[in-house]
Amino acid sequence: MASRVPLLSTTCPHGSVEDFDVVHVSGRPLVVCACGHSAAMWSLLDDRWTEHQLTDEVEVTTVGATVAGGRIVVGGGGEHQGFAQWYLDSGAVRASERDDLAGVASTTTVELDGRTWFAGGGTGSVILLSDPVEEVDPEEGEPESMELSLSDHGSYAGVGAVAAGRLGDRSLLVSGSWDGKVWLWDLREEAPMMTFEELDSVVEGVAVVSVDGRPCVLAAGGTTLRLGDLGTGGRWEDPLPVPGGDISCMDVAWLKGRQVAVVGAEDGTVHTWDLENRRPLAEPFTAHTGDSRQRRIPAIRIIELHGRPAFVTSGGDSLRVWPLDG
């Protein structure tokens, strides 16, 4: 196993980091973390932490973040908490009361017709899309929302991964379920565009990518990555092996004109893949160590730091930034 030295390393003073997202304010990258019953923000450039208290009733183990009206708006939830959104600076929370989205396992942001929406996939067979509100006022009612129901199309499993994508001018959402199903959704139609062959593991990461000039869906679960061309009717290519612990998270980006995937695992290892050439980008390495909770990587995000591609990993209460080379 190769060894690496992180570009940056920090310990969250507010508890274990269950999930995080990255936003940019005035050109500064800010890491917004879900820490159980609170949120915390790490400013990479000056290595400064800020805690943001939420109401006691809120459980936050998955989070997405965006900027609206100059303020950071956060959406997410947890196993026992339906989807909620709040202003990070005030901690004011507006929670969904939907029974069929009883818990939230994955959160992302997606662009639709020039607007940013949160998308939350939960323990029920529903993906909820919620418009970040400009003001939190209980008398205004719930934010504008839409829902994608897997049960309407024959699947009743929970949604473990969601990610945004585009195909021409179409806004897409790809979701992976606990029963191994992967769905590609057309958000304007609010309907599935394609269902892929069922995989034999829980899907922990999904993405819409371009490989060989073709639009594809990428799914991660167990110890493999799978690529599926949209032109093949939902069939997968041969698996790309990710040896070691089971995959726990994934992110994708462009690097030197080709798409790459960065994968985090339960055993603390990180794997990088060149999707164009179907080969590892670099040797895997151990990013986090300790007991099972400290070394597991629940979240990974690719960023740009000082003009260089990099990625952030979380493990227990630590965050580390690594160069993305290849």
Side-chain angles (χ1 to χ4, degrees), residues 47 57 64 67 77 81 126-127 168 174 179 187-188 201 223 233 256 263 269 273 305 316:
D47 193 17
E57 296 81 9
V67 178
Q81 165 67 52
V126 170
I127 301 170
V174 58
D179 60 359
L187 293 183
R188 287 203 186 106
S201 64
T223 57
K256 298 178 181 178
V263 178
T269 58
W273 270 85
L305 184 65

Side-chain angles (χ1 to χ4, degrees), residues 35-39 53-61 76-78 80-86 91-95:
C35 300
H37 292 282
S38 67
Q53 289 292 336
L54 308 177
T55 60
D56 292 340
E57 296 81 9
V58 172
E59 176 193 43
V60 188
T61 56
H80 306 291
Q81 165 67 52
F83 191 86
Q85 58 171 279
W86 64 93
V93 176
R94 173 177 284 177

Side-chain angles (χ1 to χ4, degrees), residues 211-212 227 240 258-259 273-281:
V211 178
D212 304 325
L227 273 168
L240 305 176
R258 64 193 189 280
Q259 293 239 255
W273 270 85
D274 176 347
L275 299 177
E276 193 83 20
N277 296 303
R278 316 302 200 271
R279 62 174 178 79
L281 189 65

Side-chain angles (χ1 to χ4, degrees), residues 216-290:
C216 298
V217 162
L218 178 68
T223 57
T224 61
L225 298 177
R226 301 295 293 264
L227 273 168
D229 189 325
L230 269 59
T232 61
R235 294 193 300 274
W236 298 108
E237 294 184 4
D238 291 338
L240 305 176
V242 182
D246 283 350
I247 293 169
S248 52
C249 57
M250 178 183 72
D251 199 12
V252 299
W254 288 95
L255 180 67
K256 298 178 181 178
R258 64 193 189 280
Q259 293 239 255
V260 300
V262 180
V263 178
E266 297 281 346
D267 63 356
T269 58
V270 169
H271 303 257
T272 54
W273 270 85
D274 176 347
L275 299 177
E276 193 83 20
N277 296 303
R278 316 302 200 271
R279 62 174 178 79
L281 189 65
E283 287 292 317
F285 69 95
T286 300
H288 297 269
T289 58

